[in-house]
Amino acid sequence: MTVTENASLRSFNTFGVEARARHLTEFASLSQLEQLARETPAFEQNHLFLGGGSNVLFTRDFDGWVLLNRIPGVEVVEENESHVWLKVGAGVGWHELVMHSVSNGWGGIENLSLIPGKCGAAPMQNIGAYGVEIKDVFDRLQAYHIRDRAVVDFSLSECQFGYRESVFKNKEKGNFAILNITLRLDKNPKINTGYGAITSELEALGVHNPSVADVSRAVMNIRQSKLPDPAVLGNAGSFFKNPLVTAAKANELRWKFPDMVAYAQPDGVKLAAGWLIEKAGMKGLSMGNCGVHDRQALVLVNHGGASGNEIFTLSEAVISKVQAVFGVRLEREVNVF
Ligand code: FAD
Ligand code: NAP
Protein backbone atom coordinates (compact mmCIF):
# COMPACT_ATOMS: atom_id res chain seq x y z
CA MET A 1 0.00 0.00 0.00
CA THR A 2 1.39 3.37 -0.97
CA VAL A 3 1.03 6.12 1.62
CA THR A 4 1.28 9.78 0.64
CA GLU A 5 2.21 12.21 3.39
CA ASN A 6 0.75 15.72 3.60
CA ALA A 7 -1.50 14.93 0.65
CA SER A 8 -3.91 17.32 -1.03
CA LEU A 9 -7.57 16.27 -0.76
CA ARG A 10 -8.78 18.73 -3.41
CA SER A 11 -9.32 16.05 -6.05
CA PHE A 12 -10.99 13.71 -3.54
CA ASN A 13 -13.98 15.94 -2.71
CA THR A 14 -16.58 17.15 -5.22
CA PHE A 15 -16.66 20.65 -3.66
CA GLY A 16 -13.06 20.87 -4.89
CA VAL A 17 -11.89 22.61 -1.71
CA GLU A 18 -8.32 22.35 -0.53
CA ALA A 19 -7.44 20.50 2.67
CA ARG A 20 -4.49 18.31 3.44
CA ALA A 21 -4.32 14.84 4.96
CA ARG A 22 -1.34 13.92 7.12
CA HIS A 23 -1.44 10.42 5.57
CA LEU A 24 -3.46 9.33 2.52
CA THR A 25 -3.76 5.79 1.23
CA GLU A 26 -6.20 3.53 -0.53
CA PHE A 27 -7.18 -0.08 0.08
CA ALA A 28 -8.87 -2.53 -2.23
CA SER A 29 -9.51 -5.48 0.09
CA LEU A 30 -10.23 -6.39 3.69
CA SER A 31 -6.76 -7.91 4.03
CA GLN A 32 -5.13 -4.61 3.08
CA LEU A 33 -7.19 -2.84 5.73
CA GLU A 34 -6.24 -5.50 8.31
CA GLN A 35 -2.59 -5.10 7.35
CA LEU A 36 -2.82 -1.35 7.95
CA ALA A 37 -4.46 -1.95 11.33
CA ARG A 38 -1.66 -4.35 12.33
CA GLU A 39 1.21 -2.22 11.10
CA THR A 40 -0.13 1.24 11.97
CA PRO A 41 -2.30 1.02 15.09
CA ALA A 42 -2.33 4.84 15.28
CA PHE A 43 -4.80 4.94 12.40
CA GLU A 44 -7.45 3.49 14.73
CA GLN A 45 -7.51 6.76 16.68
CA ASN A 46 -7.75 9.21 13.80
CA HIS A 47 -9.11 8.05 10.48
CA LEU A 48 -11.55 9.07 7.79
CA PHE A 49 -12.92 6.73 5.14
CA LEU A 50 -13.76 8.29 1.80
CA GLY A 51 -15.57 7.00 -1.25
CA GLY A 52 -16.15 9.60 -3.96
CA GLY A 53 -16.05 12.60 -1.59
CA SER A 54 -19.46 13.78 -2.88
CA ASN A 55 -21.02 14.26 0.54
CA VAL A 56 -18.22 15.90 2.53
CA LEU A 57 -17.04 19.42 3.26
CA PHE A 58 -13.48 19.84 4.54
CA THR A 59 -13.08 22.94 6.72
CA ARG A 60 -9.61 22.04 8.02
CA ASP A 61 -6.63 19.83 7.35
CA PHE A 62 -7.03 16.27 8.58
CA ASP A 63 -4.31 15.35 11.05
CA GLY A 64 -4.67 11.61 10.62
CA TRP A 65 -5.31 8.86 8.09
CA VAL A 66 -7.60 9.37 5.09
CA LEU A 67 -8.43 6.01 3.53
CA LEU A 68 -9.91 5.74 0.06
CA ASN A 69 -12.13 2.70 -0.21
CA ARG A 70 -11.54 1.00 -3.56
CA ILE A 71 -12.88 -2.52 -2.88
CA PRO A 72 -14.17 -3.85 -6.24
CA GLY A 73 -16.64 -6.55 -7.27
CA VAL A 74 -20.26 -7.10 -8.29
CA GLU A 75 -21.50 -10.65 -7.78
CA VAL A 76 -24.86 -12.45 -7.86
CA VAL A 77 -24.87 -14.35 -4.56
CA GLU A 78 -28.43 -15.66 -4.63
CA GLU A 79 -31.26 -15.85 -7.14
CA ASN A 80 -34.80 -17.18 -7.36
CA GLU A 81 -37.65 -16.74 -9.86
CA SER A 82 -38.48 -13.24 -8.75
CA HIS A 83 -35.33 -11.71 -7.27
CA VAL A 84 -31.60 -11.48 -7.52
CA TRP A 85 -29.23 -10.70 -4.63
CA LEU A 86 -26.22 -8.65 -5.66
CA LYS A 87 -23.16 -8.34 -3.41
CA VAL A 88 -21.19 -5.24 -4.30
CA GLY A 89 -17.76 -4.04 -3.16
CA ALA A 90 -17.76 -0.73 -1.31
CA GLY A 91 -15.47 0.86 -3.89
CA VAL A 92 -17.79 0.25 -6.86
CA GLY A 93 -19.31 3.44 -8.27
CA TRP A 94 -22.99 3.75 -7.34
CA HIS A 95 -24.14 4.85 -10.78
CA GLU A 96 -22.06 2.04 -12.34
CA LEU A 97 -24.07 -0.39 -10.21
CA VAL A 98 -27.36 1.23 -11.29
CA MET A 99 -26.34 0.88 -14.95
CA HIS A 100 -25.41 -2.77 -14.37
CA SER A 101 -28.81 -3.57 -12.87
CA VAL A 102 -30.70 -1.53 -15.50
CA SER A 103 -28.89 -3.33 -18.32
CA ASN A 104 -29.97 -6.65 -16.79
CA GLY A 105 -33.57 -5.44 -16.47
CA TRP A 106 -33.46 -5.73 -12.67
CA GLY A 107 -35.61 -3.17 -10.88
CA GLY A 108 -35.32 -1.27 -7.62
CA ILE A 109 -32.55 1.32 -8.00
CA GLU A 110 -33.34 2.96 -11.37
CA ASN A 111 -34.79 6.02 -9.58
CA LEU A 112 -31.39 6.41 -7.92
CA SER A 113 -29.60 6.90 -11.24
CA LEU A 114 -26.75 9.38 -11.44
CA ILE A 115 -26.17 9.77 -7.71
CA PRO A 116 -22.40 10.29 -7.41
CA GLY A 117 -20.18 8.38 -5.03
CA LYS A 118 -19.36 4.80 -4.15
CA CYS A 119 -21.55 1.93 -3.00
CA GLY A 120 -19.90 1.81 0.44
CA ALA A 121 -21.17 5.29 1.26
CA ALA A 122 -24.71 4.66 -0.02
CA PRO A 123 -25.97 3.18 3.29
CA MET A 124 -24.30 5.97 5.30
CA GLN A 125 -27.15 8.37 4.66
CA ASN A 126 -29.60 5.87 3.17
CA ILE A 127 -29.31 7.59 -0.23
CA GLY A 128 -32.63 8.56 -1.71
CA ALA A 129 -34.20 10.24 -4.70
CA TYR A 130 -37.52 10.27 -6.54
CA GLY A 131 -39.40 8.32 -3.87
CA VAL A 132 -36.85 5.49 -3.49
CA GLU A 133 -34.22 4.93 -0.81
CA ILE A 134 -31.51 2.29 -0.67
CA LYS A 135 -33.29 0.78 2.34
CA ASP A 136 -36.11 -0.33 -0.04
CA VAL A 137 -33.79 -2.85 -1.72
CA PHE A 138 -31.26 -3.36 1.05
CA ASP A 139 -30.57 -6.88 2.29
CA ARG A 140 -27.37 -6.67 4.38
CA LEU A 141 -23.86 -5.29 4.56
CA GLN A 142 -20.50 -6.18 6.02
CA ALA A 143 -18.38 -3.65 7.84
CA TYR A 144 -15.02 -3.71 9.63
CA HIS A 145 -15.00 -2.53 13.23
CA ILE A 146 -11.82 -0.47 13.46
CA ARG A 147 -11.03 -0.84 17.14
CA ASP A 148 -12.20 -4.48 17.52
CA ARG A 149 -10.55 -5.40 14.20
CA ALA A 150 -13.52 -7.61 13.36
CA VAL A 151 -15.95 -7.97 10.46
CA VAL A 152 -19.57 -7.44 11.52
CA ASP A 153 -22.75 -8.23 9.54
CA PHE A 154 -25.57 -5.67 9.58
CA SER A 155 -29.16 -6.55 8.67
CA LEU A 156 -31.68 -3.99 7.43
CA SER A 157 -33.01 -3.27 10.93
CA GLU A 158 -29.51 -3.06 12.43
CA CYS A 159 -28.61 -0.26 9.99
CA GLN A 160 -31.39 1.88 11.57
CA PHE A 161 -32.12 3.65 8.31
CA GLY A 162 -34.08 6.90 8.43
CA TYR A 163 -34.42 9.94 6.18
CA ARG A 164 -30.80 10.52 5.04
CA GLU A 165 -29.71 8.72 8.21
CA SER A 166 -28.30 5.42 9.43
CA VAL A 167 -26.57 4.04 12.49
CA PHE A 168 -23.25 4.74 10.72
CA LYS A 169 -23.95 8.47 10.57
CA ASN A 170 -25.06 8.55 14.22
CA LYS A 171 -24.34 6.13 17.05
CA GLU A 172 -21.55 4.29 15.25
CA LYS A 173 -20.07 7.32 13.53
CA GLY A 174 -16.43 6.66 12.63
CA ASN A 175 -16.41 3.16 14.12
CA PHE A 176 -16.84 1.08 10.95
CA ALA A 177 -15.52 0.82 7.40
CA ILE A 178 -18.27 -0.51 5.16
CA LEU A 179 -16.75 -3.29 3.02
CA ASN A 180 -19.64 -4.47 0.85
CA ILE A 181 -23.41 -4.23 0.50
CA THR A 182 -25.97 -6.78 -0.68
CA LEU A 183 -29.10 -5.56 -2.47
CA ARG A 184 -32.21 -7.52 -3.42
CA LEU A 185 -33.36 -6.51 -6.89
CA ASP A 186 -36.58 -7.37 -8.67
CA LYS A 187 -36.61 -9.47 -11.85
CA ASN A 188 -40.22 -8.37 -12.50
CA PRO A 189 -39.83 -4.70 -11.68
CA LYS A 190 -42.62 -2.49 -10.45
CA ILE A 191 -41.99 0.89 -12.00
CA ASN A 192 -42.19 3.89 -9.65
CA THR A 193 -42.88 7.06 -11.65
CA GLY A 194 -45.17 8.94 -9.27
CA TYR A 195 -42.55 11.35 -7.94
CA GLY A 196 -41.35 14.72 -9.14
CA ALA A 197 -41.11 15.23 -12.87
CA ILE A 198 -40.60 11.57 -13.93
CA THR A 199 -44.04 11.18 -15.54
CA SER A 200 -43.80 14.39 -17.53
CA GLU A 201 -40.26 13.54 -18.63
CA LEU A 202 -41.39 10.09 -19.82
CA GLU A 203 -44.20 11.76 -21.77
CA ALA A 204 -41.69 14.16 -23.31
CA LEU A 205 -39.61 11.11 -24.31
CA GLY A 206 -42.74 9.56 -25.90
CA VAL A 207 -42.65 6.54 -23.55
CA HIS A 208 -46.04 5.08 -22.53
CA ASN A 209 -45.09 1.72 -21.05
CA PRO A 210 -41.78 2.46 -19.29
CA SER A 211 -39.08 -0.10 -18.57
CA VAL A 212 -36.48 0.35 -15.81
CA ALA A 213 -34.14 1.70 -18.50
CA ASP A 214 -36.75 4.33 -19.49
CA VAL A 215 -37.18 5.45 -15.87
CA SER A 216 -33.42 5.62 -15.45
CA ARG A 217 -33.11 7.72 -18.62
CA ALA A 218 -35.89 10.08 -17.43
CA VAL A 219 -34.24 10.52 -14.02
CA MET A 220 -30.87 11.22 -15.65
CA ASN A 221 -32.41 13.81 -17.99
CA ILE A 222 -34.12 15.64 -15.11
CA ARG A 223 -31.02 15.58 -12.95
CA GLN A 224 -28.77 16.82 -15.74
CA SER A 225 -31.14 19.71 -16.42
CA LYS A 226 -31.29 20.87 -12.77
CA LEU A 227 -28.17 19.86 -10.91
CA PRO A 228 -24.70 21.30 -11.37
CA ASP A 229 -22.07 18.82 -12.55
CA PRO A 230 -19.36 18.76 -9.83
CA ALA A 231 -16.72 18.42 -12.56
CA VAL A 232 -17.77 21.89 -13.74
CA LEU A 233 -19.05 23.57 -10.56
CA GLY A 234 -17.95 22.16 -7.20
CA ASN A 235 -20.85 21.01 -5.00
CA ALA A 236 -22.00 18.14 -2.78
CA GLY A 237 -25.64 17.90 -3.89
CA SER A 238 -28.25 18.96 -1.36
CA PHE A 239 -26.41 20.73 1.43
CA PHE A 240 -29.39 20.62 3.81
CA LYS A 241 -32.02 18.06 4.70
CA ASN A 242 -35.70 18.77 4.15
CA PRO A 243 -36.99 19.75 7.61
CA LEU A 244 -39.81 17.87 9.27
CA VAL A 245 -42.22 20.08 11.24
CA THR A 246 -45.41 19.45 13.19
CA ALA A 247 -48.78 19.74 11.41
CA ALA A 248 -49.52 22.81 13.58
CA LYS A 249 -46.32 24.55 12.48
CA ALA A 250 -47.01 23.68 8.82
CA ASN A 251 -50.53 25.14 9.11
CA GLU A 252 -49.18 28.32 10.68
CA LEU A 253 -46.68 28.69 7.81
CA ARG A 254 -49.25 27.86 5.12
CA TRP A 255 -51.38 30.69 6.45
CA LYS A 256 -48.53 33.14 5.75
CA PHE A 257 -47.15 31.39 2.67
CA PRO A 258 -50.04 29.75 0.78
CA ASP A 259 -47.71 28.50 -2.01
CA MET A 260 -45.42 26.66 0.44
CA VAL A 261 -44.21 23.25 -0.81
CA ALA A 262 -44.99 20.65 1.86
CA TYR A 263 -45.63 16.92 1.99
CA ALA A 264 -47.55 15.11 4.75
CA GLN A 265 -45.51 12.33 6.39
CA PRO A 266 -46.55 9.74 9.00
CA ASP A 267 -44.67 11.71 11.69
CA GLY A 268 -45.27 15.33 10.62
CA VAL A 269 -44.99 17.50 7.54
CA LYS A 270 -41.89 17.62 5.32
CA LEU A 271 -41.04 21.06 3.96
CA ALA A 272 -38.94 21.47 0.81
CA ALA A 273 -35.74 23.11 2.08
CA GLY A 274 -34.98 24.34 -1.45
CA TRP A 275 -38.27 26.24 -1.49
CA LEU A 276 -37.60 27.78 1.95
CA ILE A 277 -34.16 29.02 0.86
CA GLU A 278 -35.53 30.40 -2.40
CA LYS A 279 -38.45 32.12 -0.65
CA ALA A 280 -36.00 33.60 1.86
CA GLY A 281 -34.38 35.32 -1.12
CA MET A 282 -31.13 33.37 -1.19
CA LYS A 283 -31.40 31.44 -4.48
CA GLY A 284 -28.48 32.43 -6.74
CA LEU A 285 -26.83 34.45 -3.95
CA SER A 286 -23.03 34.76 -4.19
CA MET A 287 -20.83 35.20 -1.12
CA GLY A 288 -17.12 35.49 -1.87
CA ASN A 289 -16.08 32.51 -3.95
CA CYS A 290 -19.14 30.42 -3.20
CA GLY A 291 -22.88 30.70 -3.49
CA VAL A 292 -26.37 29.22 -3.54
CA HIS A 293 -27.03 27.53 -6.89
CA ASP A 294 -29.29 29.52 -9.20
CA ARG A 295 -31.37 26.53 -10.38
CA GLN A 296 -31.59 24.53 -7.13
CA ALA A 297 -31.29 26.52 -3.91
CA LEU A 298 -30.62 23.40 -1.84
CA VAL A 299 -27.20 23.12 -3.47
CA LEU A 300 -24.26 25.28 -2.33
CA VAL A 301 -21.57 25.72 -4.97
CA ASN A 302 -17.89 26.57 -5.16
CA HIS A 303 -17.55 29.20 -7.89
CA GLY A 304 -13.80 28.59 -7.86
CA GLY A 305 -11.18 28.89 -5.17
CA ALA A 306 -13.61 28.80 -2.22
CA SER A 307 -12.33 27.36 1.03
CA GLY A 308 -14.34 24.90 3.08
CA ASN A 309 -14.71 27.57 5.76
CA GLU A 310 -16.23 30.02 3.28
CA ILE A 311 -18.80 27.42 2.26
CA PHE A 312 -19.49 26.59 5.89
CA THR A 313 -20.00 30.30 6.67
CA LEU A 314 -22.44 30.54 3.75
CA SER A 315 -24.33 27.56 5.16
CA GLU A 316 -24.57 29.35 8.53
CA ALA A 317 -26.01 32.41 6.75
CA VAL A 318 -28.61 30.25 4.99
CA ILE A 319 -29.59 28.56 8.26
CA SER A 320 -29.96 31.93 10.06
CA LYS A 321 -32.03 33.50 7.28
CA VAL A 322 -34.42 30.56 6.99
CA GLN A 323 -34.74 30.51 10.79
CA ALA A 324 -35.53 34.24 10.81
CA VAL A 325 -38.11 34.09 8.01
CA PHE A 326 -39.87 30.80 8.81
CA GLY A 327 -38.83 29.86 12.36
CA VAL A 328 -37.54 26.55 10.97
CA ARG A 329 -34.00 25.31 11.61
CA LEU A 330 -32.28 23.63 8.66
CA GLU A 331 -29.92 20.75 9.38
CA ARG A 332 -26.89 20.02 7.22
CA GLU A 333 -26.96 16.81 5.23
CA VAL A 334 -23.32 17.06 4.14
CA ASN A 335 -20.69 15.63 6.51
CA VAL A 336 -18.52 18.49 7.74
CA PHE A 337 -14.92 17.79 8.84
P1 FAD B 1 -18.16 10.34 0.64
O1 FAD B 1 -18.49 11.76 0.39
O2 FAD B 1 -16.80 9.87 0.27
O3 FAD B 1 -18.43 9.99 2.16
C1 FAD B 1 -19.62 10.39 2.78
C2 FAD B 1 -19.58 9.94 4.24
O4 FAD B 1 -19.54 8.53 4.32
C3 FAD B 1 -18.35 10.43 4.99
O5 FAD B 1 -18.71 10.67 6.33
C4 FAD B 1 -17.39 9.26 4.90
O6 FAD B 1 -16.47 9.24 5.97
C5 FAD B 1 -18.34 8.08 4.96
N1 FAD B 1 -17.91 6.91 4.20
C6 FAD B 1 -17.70 6.84 2.86
N2 FAD B 1 -17.40 5.59 2.50
C7 FAD B 1 -17.40 4.85 3.63
C8 FAD B 1 -17.16 3.47 3.91
N3 FAD B 1 -16.89 2.57 2.95
N4 FAD B 1 -17.24 3.06 5.19
C9 FAD B 1 -17.55 3.94 6.19
N5 FAD B 1 -17.79 5.24 5.98
C10 FAD B 1 -17.71 5.68 4.72
N6 FAD B 1 -27.42 11.89 -2.12
C11 FAD B 1 -28.64 11.33 -2.07
O7 FAD B 1 -28.98 10.67 -1.08
N7 FAD B 1 -29.52 11.47 -3.08
C12 FAD B 1 -29.23 12.16 -4.21
O8 FAD B 1 -30.06 12.26 -5.11
C13 FAD B 1 -27.94 12.79 -4.30
N8 FAD B 1 -27.62 13.54 -5.37
C14 FAD B 1 -26.40 14.15 -5.42
C15 FAD B 1 -26.09 14.93 -6.53
C16 FAD B 1 -24.86 15.56 -6.62
C17 FAD B 1 -24.55 16.42 -7.84
C18 FAD B 1 -23.91 15.39 -5.59
C19 FAD B 1 -22.56 16.04 -5.70
C20 FAD B 1 -24.21 14.65 -4.47
C21 FAD B 1 -25.46 14.01 -4.37
N9 FAD B 1 -25.82 13.22 -3.26
C22 FAD B 1 -27.05 12.62 -3.21
C23 FAD B 1 -24.89 13.08 -2.12
C24 FAD B 1 -23.84 11.95 -2.32
O9 FAD B 1 -23.60 11.69 -3.66
C25 FAD B 1 -24.28 10.64 -1.66
O10 FAD B 1 -24.50 10.83 -0.29
C26 FAD B 1 -23.24 9.51 -1.85
O11 FAD B 1 -23.73 8.31 -1.34
C27 FAD B 1 -21.91 9.82 -1.22
O12 FAD B 1 -21.00 8.86 -1.65
P2 FAD B 1 -19.44 9.10 -1.60
O13 FAD B 1 -18.76 7.81 -1.95
O14 FAD B 1 -19.06 10.26 -2.42
O15 FAD B 1 -19.27 9.42 -0.06
P1 NAP C 1 -38.02 18.15 -6.66
O1 NAP C 1 -38.46 17.00 -7.52
O2 NAP C 1 -38.00 19.52 -7.23
O3 NAP C 1 -38.83 18.15 -5.30
C1 NAP C 1 -38.57 19.16 -4.30
C2 NAP C 1 -38.69 18.51 -2.94
O4 NAP C 1 -40.01 18.05 -2.76
C3 NAP C 1 -37.77 17.34 -2.82
O5 NAP C 1 -36.87 17.67 -1.82
C4 NAP C 1 -38.63 16.15 -2.48
O6 NAP C 1 -38.28 15.57 -1.22
C5 NAP C 1 -40.02 16.71 -2.32
N1 NAP C 1 -40.99 15.94 -3.14
C6 NAP C 1 -41.21 16.05 -4.48
N2 NAP C 1 -42.21 15.22 -4.85
C7 NAP C 1 -42.61 14.58 -3.73
C8 NAP C 1 -43.59 13.59 -3.45
N3 NAP C 1 -44.39 13.11 -4.41
N4 NAP C 1 -43.71 13.15 -2.17
C9 NAP C 1 -42.93 13.62 -1.20
N5 NAP C 1 -41.98 14.55 -1.40
C10 NAP C 1 -41.82 15.03 -2.64
O7 NAP C 1 -36.54 17.84 -6.10
P2 NAP C 1 -35.13 17.88 -6.80
O8 NAP C 1 -34.29 18.83 -6.08
O9 NAP C 1 -35.26 17.97 -8.28
O10 NAP C 1 -34.59 16.43 -6.44
C11 NAP C 1 -35.20 15.30 -6.97
C12 NAP C 1 -34.90 14.10 -6.10
O11 NAP C 1 -33.49 13.86 -6.07
C13 NAP C 1 -35.35 14.30 -4.66
O12 NAP C 1 -35.84 13.08 -4.16
C14 NAP C 1 -34.07 14.70 -3.94
O13 NAP C 1 -34.05 14.28 -2.60
C15 NAP C 1 -33.01 13.95 -4.75
N6 NAP C 1 -31.72 14.68 -4.72
C16 NAP C 1 -30.97 14.57 -3.61
C17 NAP C 1 -29.76 15.23 -3.53
C18 NAP C 1 -28.88 15.04 -2.33
O14 NAP C 1 -27.73 15.46 -2.36
N7 NAP C 1 -29.36 14.47 -1.27
C19 NAP C 1 -29.32 16.03 -4.58
C20 NAP C 1 -30.16 16.15 -5.67
C21 NAP C 1 -31.36 15.47 -5.75
P3 NAP C 1 -37.14 14.46 -1.00
O15 NAP C 1 -35.84 15.21 -1.13
O16 NAP C 1 -37.39 14.01 0.40
O17 NAP C 1 -37.28 13.38 -2.00
Side-chain angles (χ1 to χ4, degrees), residues 106-119:
W106 300 326
I109 52 176
E110 58 280 3
N111 292 40
L112 304 178
S113 295
L114 225 52
I115 297 182
K118 306 288 184 190
C119 290

Side-chain angles (χ1 to χ4, degrees), residues 55 125 128-131 163-164 194-197 222-223 226-227 236-239 242 261 263 265 270-273 296 298-299 333:
N55 205 15
Q125 69 159 10
Y130 298 98
Y163 166 66
R164 305 289 189 265
Y195 204 88
I222 303 167
R223 293 182 72 104
K226 285 178 98 164
L227 289 170
S238 306
F239 199 89
N242 287 325
V261 181
Y263 297 90
Q265 305 290 299
K270 179 178 76 175
L271 307 182
Q296 169 51 287
L298 204 41
V299 178
E333 178 182 308

Side-chain angles (χ1 to χ4, degrees), residues 5-312:
E5 307 297 335
N6 188 26
S8 169
L9 295 173
R10 189 193 290 274
S11 58
F12 299 110
N13 71 96
T14 60
F15 261 124
V17 300
E18 182 56 310
R20 301 197 82 80
R22 179 168 289 261
H23 318 281
L24 175 74
T25 190
E26 59 179 55
F27 63 99
S29 64
L30 170 61
S31 55
Q32 285 187 340
L33 188 54
E34 288 173 325
Q35 183 192 345
L36 184 72
R38 270 195 316 273
E39 294 175 0
T40 323
F43 113 94
E44 294 175 4
Q45 309 306 324
N46 204 357
H47 58 268
L48 169 62
F49 288 94
L50 269 190
S54 64
N55 205 15
V56 292
L57 176 66
F58 293 119
T59 57
R60 59 182 169 89
D61 292 338
F62 192 80
D63 188 21
W65 286 81
V66 174
L67 300 118
L68 305 171
N69 190 324
R70 299 294 179 251
I71 298 177
V74 179
E75 187 192 354
V76 174
V77 287
E78 200 180 327
E79 191 168 2
N80 64 20
E81 273 184 13
S82 57
H83 289 90
V84 62
W85 281 257
L86 268 191
K87 183 175 176 183
V88 188
V92 173
W94 174 262
H95 182 66
E96 195 186 312
L97 174 68
V98 175
M99 290 296 97
H100 178 73
S101 67
V102 164
S103 66
N104 280 285
W106 300 326
I109 52 176
E110 58 280 3
N111 292 40
L112 304 178
S113 295
L114 225 52
I115 297 182
K118 306 288 184 190
C119 290
M124 284 295 297
Q125 69 159 10
N126 179 26
I127 55 167
Y130 298 98
V132 173
E133 294 175 325
I134 194 178
K135 76 166 172 45
D136 302 330
V137 293
F138 183 89
D139 183 54
R140 58 189 182 273
L141 66 73
Q142 285 189 306
Y144 180 74
H145 193 284
I146 314 296
R147 252 164 253 128
D148 292 354
R149 299 192 191 172
V151 175
V152 181
D153 290 310
F154 283 81
S155 66
L156 174 66
S157 62
E158 285 164 340
C159 289
Q160 297 177 24
F161 289 126
Y163 166 66
R164 305 289 189 265
E165 287 295 348
S166 74
V167 73
F168 305 104
K169 210 174 167 181
N170 289 300
K171 216 166 61 195
E172 297 291 359
K173 193 171 177 172
N175 290 341
F176 285 95
I178 295 172
L179 302 170
N180 60 66
I181 61 175
T182 301
L183 305 182
R184 174 178 172 270
L185 301 175
D186 204 333
K187 289 176 159 180
N188 309 298
K190 291 160 220 59
I191 303 297
N192 177 349
T193 58
Y195 204 88
I198 299 184
T199 308
S200 54
E201 181 60 26
L202 286 169
E203 275 167 20
L205 291 170
V207 176
H208 302 293
N209 191 12
S211 63
V212 289
D214 294 324
V215 174
S216 171
R217 168 53 50 204
V219 168
M220 288 193 273
N221 287 354
I222 303 167
R223 293 182 72 104
Q224 280 164 338
S225 72
K226 285 178 98 164
L227 289 170
D229 176 355
V232 179
L233 192 60
N235 75 90
S238 306
F239 199 89
F240 304 98
K241 295 180 188 178
N242 287 325
L244 191 73
V245 299
T246 61
K249 176 71 184 174
N251 280 338
E252 174 202 319
L253 287 172
R254 209 175 278 114
W255 191 250
K256 282 198 219 159
F257 306 97
D259 58 336
M260 184 177 73
V261 181
Y263 297 90
Q265 305 290 299
D267 46 353
V269 177
K270 179 178 76 175
L271 307 182
W275 184 91
L276 296 173
I277 299 166
E278 182 174 350
K279 196 77 180 175
M282 300 193 94
K283 191 178 187 178
L285 172 100
S286 276
M287 209 165 144
N289 294 316
C290 55
V292 178
H293 189 49
D294 55 6
R295 269 176 290 157
Q296 169 51 287
L298 204 41
V299 178
L300 302 188
V301 294
N302 178 356
H303 288 303
S307 68
N309 274 314
E310 260 182 290
I311 297 170
F312 187 79

